[in-house]
Amino acid sequence: MAFISSGYNPDKPMEGRISDIGPRHFGEYLPPVIKDNFGKWDYHEIIEPGVLLHVGLSGDKTYTVRAATARLMTVTMIREICDIADKFCGGFVRFTTRNNLEFQVETEEAAKELKAFLNEQKFAAGSMKFPVGGTGAGVTNIVHTQGWVHCHTPATDASGTVKATMDVVFDDFTDMKLPAPVRISMACCLNMCGAVHCSDIAILGIHRKPPIIDHEYLDNLCEIPLAVAACPTGAVRPSKVEIDGKTYKTVALKEERCMFCGNCYTMCPSLPLSDGEGDGIAIMVGGKISNRITKPAFSKVVVPFVPNEPPRWPTMTKVIKKILDTYAAEANKYERLGDWANRIGWERFFEKCDLPFSEHLIDDFRDPAYYTWRQTTQFKW
Amino acid sequence: MAKHKTPLLDQLESGPWPSFVSDIKQEAEARAKNEKGLDYQIPVDCPDDLLGVLEMSYTDGETHWKHGGIVGVFGYGGGVIGRYCDQPEMFPGVAHFHTVRVAQPNGKWYSTKLLRDLMDIWDLRGSGLTNMHGATGDIVFLGTTTPQLEEIFFELTHNLDIDLGGSGSNLRTPASCMGMSRCEYACYDSQELCYNLTMEFQDELHRPAFPYKFKFKFDACPNGCVAAIARSDLSFIGTWKDGIRINQEAVAAYVGGEIAPNAGAHAGRDWGAFDIQKEVVDLCPSGCISYDGKLTIDNKECVRCMHCINTMPRALKIGEETGCSILCGAKAPILDGPQMGSLLIPFIEVNKDDDFQDIKDVVENVWDWWMEEGKNRERIGETMKRLGLAALINAVGVDVDARHVQEPRHNPYIFWKAEDVDGGWERDINDFRKRHQR
């Protein structure tokens, strides 16, 4: 490999340097019909799963075909998307917040043709490249994090759990037969780089073993006061240890105080807490972001732990499928998963979804915990 | 021929959902073939080695990525996240595998030319792997080596006129819904406001000076498609002050079954005939809708939840006196538990004519307070919890309003100030003793 210079001169880093220019203005990338009707849309309809019609006050129409991606995409894949957008959409394409693609076409026929074309595209090993769906009262794509692919703190993988889950609930991606939209999110640790804390169903990687202390290296790699201050429960304190006659500055842990959040490890790489046996997944449900009918709500933990079972996480997907199917059968039209659980009562939710209730599900973290305990004699047998 | 055996990952190639494993494999093959004859600037086999290290994690249940080191481009304190593999001998192609965050066009609209130009840079100088997009909204270039960072930045800025996104204790890359570009519910131009504020605060985005990260998100209506209320330190959520506009003919068409409710969102199941009483009137959270052959909305009592508009988009339209509500302090659980955004400004005009100055003033005031009061690695939501919402309201200089609370306080522990109390707090003990013996 010969180094190819871009033109940058490392001896004169400021020469011709361009900085602080921000993103390109979005207006450069709007298809003509979008530009023409910007801020002047009248209404929309979902023609069929994955196909939207938007009508402008001008009477202009545009059809959107929505298709899934794996979020983790290669240059080869994105160039293929460009080929499709060039062929069908005049060279424009959009990504959604939930990692879907959206292609604009001019007629219903073109939309149906494109939908059929996208659904035909498959990888050599058989999975679809661009399954069309993700609209209306169904399951759309999963917002997720990096997991074992590229993150230093995960308790599970993200791409694999998402693939396994979406394979199991695929029918609800390509159809609209649920009472309301169901947003599934996935985060591989408590940092929650996805909106896991406010999702209908959330997959969350959790650790269950306190950090291991790398005493001989800690003081060289970490600022001890920062590691101590990082712990929200005061479980980390400065300490000294003697190893082979040599004294090391380090930290000590009150293990009973540890809630395995990993924040100390974020500040100090000598406190790793990843563990093949200890790590796994918590499942949370009942969160939402929309202000529609009810207020935005946090997700609640309903399964404190399922083990990591790569590559397909069968226990996790079985629980998710059971919750989703029970909700679909029981909830009222327009009722989000959390609103259904609130209406029937959470004690009934656990019963209907065949989920055991354990002490791990009773909140004991600071003041907000109190507000989740039952302060009434109203409950169901 | 694959470089590493990946029997576990191979099982993720079946099933209908797009397989990231198949995609990475096709990239590995494309790089091995190198039909364009590129002189790849980082190891050709990095996708193979990524699959290799991932298979190892699938086998032992633990990650094999180390903490990021301090890598970046000259003069910026963010935009690049260092990443190193903890098995570099086994997987040299990903030994150094840094992330580059690239600023996305707001609303995530692209021309194929822009995408191809981005891919050309990344094909030559990176792994060929991306996230479209990262959780905060950036284009994520996944995996390159330190010597390539300045080269990538130079080409992005000089050839494509695009900057890096944010990381670390700075303003993170702001993100917006697609708003007015293709949505009839947009109460303000979320993309333009997002773009304008992003450009205004470039220094805050590239040179971390905050106690911790700070996120802006822009939702053009209360449906909240980018989750601003849950995920951003300052959430700008579209709203309106006047009444919902009603087209009674279209209402009749919904009632008569000529138009499917909720834009056809429930078409996959037979829910029976549309019942406007059950599906709209009875579900209104403030009970402000009635129907007697004609739909009436008591707009004074409306809380703008969007349900009736979502259910009958051809009959009901958002009001015309539009703007946004600003909420502050949303975050995920780390460290102090999850927080929703708390209402800071019930209504503010979104005015492009004065370059959104009123909104910028709010932002500056919020930051001044947080940078003064916030502790290291304390999100503003946590500072608010520690010092109280009223402290922030006062710092921002908005009038206190009953809309700021869901309900008033549960305790009488009011921190009165001397100036609040008649006569102040200066008292003389001798004067007191004239009335009260020891």
Side-chain angles (χ1 to χ4, degrees):
Chain A
M1 186 272 288
F3 187 83
I4 300 172
S5 172
S6 60
Y8 171 73
N9 179 356
D11 296 328
K12 296 179 178 172
M14 291 309 292
E15 195 173 70
R17 192 168 192 83
I18 297 173
S19 72
D20 299 278
I21 55 173
R24 293 281 285 265
H25 190 270
F26 60 90
E28 297 178 65
Y29 308 111
L30 303 177
V33 68
I34 298 295
K35 201 170 254 186
D36 292 348
N37 293 277
F38 192 94
K40 295 179 291 204
W41 294 100
D42 188 12
Y43 66 90
H44 76 284
E45 285 176 9
I46 307 169
I47 303 293
E48 57 184 67
V51 181
L52 305 160
L53 160 68
H54 285 83
V55 181
L57 293 165
S58 63
D60 287 356
K61 291 182 176 179
T62 183
Y63 290 83
T64 305
V65 181
R66 183 179 293 170
T69 75
R71 190 182 88 135
L72 200 173
M73 275 186 287
T74 65
V75 163
T76 303
M77 185 71 162
I78 292 166
R79 285 176 176 152
E80 188 174 337
I81 291 164
C82 290
D83 290 342
I84 295 167
D86 284 342
K87 183 178 170 188
F88 290 89
C89 314
F92 295 98
V93 63
R94 179 178 176 260
F95 292 82
T96 73
T97 302
R98 302 193 76 87
N99 313 316
N100 293 309
L101 292 164
E102 288 187 339
F103 297 96
Q104 302 301 138
V105 293
E106 289 176 11
T107 66
E108 191 169 342
E109 294 69 36
K112 290 185 174 178
E113 182 195 348
L114 177 55
K115 178 175 174 175
F117 176 83
L118 290 168
N119 280 334
E120 284 162 7
Q121 306 310 305
K122 292 193 167 77
F123 287 106
S127 73
M128 299 168 82
K129 287 182 175 176
F130 312 108
V132 174
T135 52
V139 171
T140 185
N141 205 338
I142 298 183
V143 170
H144 67 92
T145 57
Q146 298 285 21
W148 290 331
V149 167
H150 205 238
C151 182
H152 67 292
T153 64
T156 185
D157 188 37
S159 299
T161 52
V162 166
K163 164 71 174 154
T165 302
M166 287 311 294
D167 276 346
V168 167
V169 303
F170 188 71
D171 286 354
D172 283 312
F173 178 81
T174 56
D175 203 347
M176 304 185 293
K177 55 185 193 297
L178 298 175
V182 171
R183 303 277 183 250
I184 308 180
S185 301
M186 191 285 155
C188 51
C189 80
L190 269 68
N191 280 312
M192 289 194 189
C193 302
V196 158
H197 61 307
C198 295
S199 295
D200 295 280
I201 299 176
I203 302 161
L204 176 65
I206 56 161
H207 303 289
R208 296 185 305 160
K209 294 189 183 183
I212 319 167
I213 307 172
D214 199 353
H215 291 298
E216 293 171 69
Y217 293 86
L218 190 140
D219 193 30
N220 297 327
L221 284 168
C222 315
E223 299 225 16
I224 288 174
L226 287 180
V228 170
C231 181
T233 58
V236 183
R237 65 185 187 277
S239 181
K240 287 181 181 166
V241 294
E242 197 169 296
I243 300 171
D244 300 333
K246 193 175 170 191
T247 303
Y248 293 92
K249 280 188 188 170
T250 180
V251 299
L253 285 174
K254 267 201 168 52
E255 291 185 343
E256 69 276 14
R257 284 194 186 174
C258 180
M259 56 173 191
F260 321 101
C261 72
N263 203 46
C264 57
Y265 178 60
T266 298
M267 295 309 288
C268 173
S270 294
L271 294 168
L273 72 168
S274 245
D275 185 88
E277 289 175 315
D279 295 351
I281 283 167
I283 294 173
M284 306 174 77
V285 307
K288 70 191 273 274
I289 282 152
S290 160
N291 289 274
R292 185 177 184 175
I293 305 176
T294 53
K295 288 183 294 181
F298 292 126
S299 316
K300 293 92 180 155
V301 181
V302 293
V303 179
F305 182 77
V306 290
N308 277 324
E309 297 167 322
R312 286 270 172 190
W313 281 267
T315 307
M316 175 197 79
T317 56
K318 190 176 160 204
V319 169
I320 290 171
K321 182 80 175 126
K322 174 70 182 173
I323 293 170
L324 189 63
D325 289 349
T326 309
Y327 158 76
E330 302 263 346
N332 297 329
K333 192 178 178 187
Y334 307 107
E335 191 170 46
R336 294 288 288 264
L337 199 151
D339 294 332
W340 163 67
N342 284 333
R343 177 170 59 84
I344 63 172
W346 285 90
E347 64 272 44
R348 188 70 80 233
F349 169 89
F350 282 91
E351 183 186 301
K352 284 181 181 286
C353 294
D354 292 334
L355 294 172
F357 189 88
S358 68
E359 69 171 282
H360 299 116
L361 301 174
I362 301 175
D363 196 349
D364 53 8
F365 184 70
R366 299 191 178 165
D367 282 0
Y370 166 85
Y371 300 103
T372 67
W373 307 338
R374 194 183 300 272
Q375 282 117 18
T376 170
T377 56
Q378 296 179 14
F379 54 81
K380 294 179 180 179
W381 294 113
Chain B
M1 184 60 202
K3 183 177 172 185
H4 305 282
K5 284 198 162 56
T6 53
L8 293 172
L9 290 173
D10 294 352
Q11 294 175 54
L12 290 173
E13 292 200 89
S14 57
W17 193 253
S19 170
F20 71 100
V21 176
S22 297
D23 193 9
I24 298 171
K25 282 186 178 181
Q26 74 172 2
E27 188 63 25
E29 271 180 45
R31 284 173 79 97
K33 276 190 196 159
N34 193 12
E35 285 176 351
K36 288 185 179 173
L38 286 181
D39 191 357
Y40 289 113
Q41 297 293 287
I42 77 164
V44 174
D45 57 0
C46 58
D48 282 305
D49 277 353
L50 183 74
L51 288 172
V53 73
L54 188 59
E55 181 75 12
M56 183 181 261
S57 288
Y58 272 55
T59 305
D60 65 20
E62 294 173 3
T63 190
H64 289 285
W65 298 102
K66 292 199 251 184
H67 269 63
I70 305 297
V71 289
V73 298
F74 188 77
Y76 277 14
V80 179
I81 296 94
R83 189 62 79 227
Y84 301 91
C85 182
D86 71 11
Q87 298 296 337
E89 295 82 10
M90 250 187 283
F91 307 108
V94 294
H96 299 221
F97 211 59
H98 312 318
T99 294
V100 182
R101 290 182 180 169
V102 179
Q104 82 286 1
N106 301 131
K108 301 190 176 80
W109 294 95
Y110 290 90
S111 66
T112 52
K113 179 175 188 321
L114 175 63
L115 280 175
R116 289 182 199 278
D117 289 346
L118 287 163
M119 291 311 111
D120 287 347
I121 292 174
W122 193 235
D123 204 3
L124 177 70
R125 302 192 176 278
S127 65
L129 308 173
T130 78
N131 289 151
M132 296 298 276
H133 296 72
T136 303
D138 309 86
I139 302 159
V140 172
F141 283 173
L142 206 60
T144 192
T145 57
T146 308
Q148 290 303 311
L149 296 172
E150 288 288 0
E151 309 301 322
I152 290 164
F153 181 65
F154 189 95
E155 291 193 349
L156 281 172
T157 52
H158 285 75
N159 305 343
L160 300 190
D161 199 17
I162 291 182
D163 208 334
L164 299 188
S167 65
S169 292
N170 62 1
L171 173 63
R172 296 298 183 85
T173 311
S176 76
C177 68
M178 46 93 139
M180 287 186 167
S181 61
R182 209 196 59 209
C183 182
E184 68 267 30
Y185 301 149
C187 301
Y188 73 96
D189 189 346
S190 55
Q191 290 165 280
E192 190 63 41
L193 180 60
C194 183
Y195 178 78
N196 188 293
L197 264 57
T198 305
M199 300 308 281
E200 176 80 17
F201 298 119
Q202 281 292 295
D203 193 31
E204 287 79 0
L205 199 150
H206 293 302
R207 294 166 196 87
F210 291 152
Y212 203 11
K213 66 182 80 164
F214 199 98
K215 297 181 180 181
F216 290 163
K217 289 192 192 296
F218 302 84
D219 273 321
C221 87
N223 281 326
C225 290
V226 291
I229 202 166
R231 301 187 62 195
S232 54
D233 300 271
L234 268 187
S235 326
F236 302 83
I237 302 176
T239 192
W240 63 92
K241 267 187 150 171
D242 53 348
I244 293 172
R245 291 169 285 158
I246 307 174
N247 175 337
Q248 297 290 354
E249 281 176 18
V251 172
Y254 280 104
V255 173
E258 295 154 43
I259 309 174
N262 215 104
H266 294 83
R269 193 196 298 191
D270 181 6
W271 291 91
F274 177 65
D275 180 342
I276 195 169
Q277 183 67 36
K278 189 172 143 196
E279 297 185 38
V280 179
V281 177
D282 293 348
L283 290 179
C284 172
S286 61
C288 71
I289 306 179
S290 56
Y291 180 77
D292 57 1
K294 179 170 170 256
L295 192 80
T296 308
I297 300 177
D298 182 357
N299 280 297
K300 197 165 181 336
E301 301 306 312
C302 169
V303 292
R304 300 166 313 286
C305 85
M306 297 296 295
H307 174 65
C308 61
I309 297 174
N310 289 335
T311 308
M312 302 192 292
R314 291 178 72 167
L316 302 177
K317 305 287 177 199
I318 59 168
E320 290 175 309
E321 192 186 343
T322 53
C324 74
S325 300
I326 301 179
L327 294 88
C328 189
K331 56 182 277 297
I334 294 282
L335 272 177
D336 208 24
Q339 286 179 239
M340 278 311 165
S342 298
L343 187 64
L344 178 64
I345 300 195
F347 184 88
I348 191 165
E349 280 186 12
V350 182
N351 191 344
K352 194 182 175 181
D353 295 339
D354 73 347
D355 206 32
F356 309 111
Q357 193 54 50
D358 290 354
I359 289 173
K360 288 173 186 171
D361 290 345
V362 170
V363 171
E364 298 272 10
N365 289 339
V366 166
W367 281 347
D368 285 349
W369 178 77
W370 181 49
M371 288 170 81
E372 182 68 29
E373 302 287 355
K375 296 178 182 175
N376 182 38
R377 298 190 82 239
E378 181 177 62
R379 292 284 287 271
I380 193 168
E382 291 162 341
T383 314
M384 289 162 67
K385 266 172 93 172
R386 190 163 54 81
L387 299 174
L389 176 63
L392 176 62
I393 290 172
N394 291 330
V396 174
V398 291
D399 293 335
V400 173
D401 189 310
R403 291 165 191 81
H404 280 127
V405 296
Q406 197 61 43
E407 58 192 56
R409 67 191 306 147
H410 291 194
N411 59 67
Y413 305 148
I414 300 165
F415 287 94
W416 296 105
K417 297 185 182 71
E419 58 267 29
D420 294 333
V421 184
D422 289 346
W425 287 353
E426 287 297 318
R427 294 190 287 160
D428 182 69
I429 187 66
N430 295 323
D431 184 49
F432 181 83
R433 288 294 165 218
K434 286 176 190 168
R435 305 189 301 278
H436 306 279
Q437 294 181 18
R438 282 189 180 86

